[in-house]
Amino acid sequence: DAISEWGLDAALADKFNLIASLALAIECGAVFVVAFGALQAMAALLKAIANGQATGLEGRQIWLRFATWILLGLEFALAADILRTAVAPTWDDISKLAVIATIRTMLNYFLAKDIMAFDKSQEAGSEGGAA
């Protein structure tokens, strides 16, 4: 029995199982969020092509909406990794989590920065067109 082999009591083992199940559920949420965003982006792209509005600006807007879903998915995936590492971390697990968190944080930062820059250019463009 793994519980007695590790010297864990049943209550502690149940808590570990609950955390592992929660991490799996959060990871499934990340997959769902990214898949939903991808389907939404593909539908928007097909609609733009069908309507003859497949311009660079429209493509950029579709990409930014998709990037927002990717950012949310990355946050869910990082949360799942943190939960898994919190159960019984080894130094190897901690170092892997640090690398994953750094990469995801950098992706998150640059995607968010790109989204903000596009929003600012959209605001400037609409203000310039209204003047």
Side-chain angles (χ1 to χ4, degrees):
D1 181 47
I3 294 172
S4 59
E5 183 178 315
W6 284 56
L8 302 175
D9 64 351
L12 187 58
D14 287 343
K15 288 179 184 178
F16 284 161
N17 288 335
L18 176 65
I19 291 171
S21 297
L22 185 57
L24 180 61
I26 292 171
E27 202 164 60
C28 289
V31 171
F32 174 77
V33 165
V34 173
F36 177 79
L39 290 172
Q40 186 183 55
M42 288 191 311
L45 180 62
L46 291 173
K47 182 179 175 184
I49 291 169
N51 293 338
Q53 298 173 342
T55 63
L57 180 62
E58 181 64 23
R60 182 88 169 144
Q61 289 174 339
I62 292 168
W63 178 83
L64 285 173
R65 284 191 300 268
F66 183 43
T68 303
W69 289 109
I70 290 173
L71 287 175
L72 183 59
L74 286 171
E75 293 299 328
F76 275 101
L78 182 58
D81 287 341
I82 289 170
L83 277 176
R84 276 201 187 88
T85 302
V87 172
T90 64
W91 284 110
D92 188 49
D93 293 336
I94 292 169
S95 63
K96 286 178 185 176
L97 179 62
V99 170
I100 291 168
T102 301
I103 291 168
R104 288 182 178 158
T105 301
M106 289 174 58
L107 282 171
N108 195 340
Y109 171 77
F110 287 111
L111 281 172
K113 188 175 176 180
D114 204 22
I115 290 169
M116 285 176 46
F118 183 74
D119 286 344
K120 286 181 184 177
S121 70
Q122 287 292 98
E123 289 173 8
S126 62
E127 288 174 5

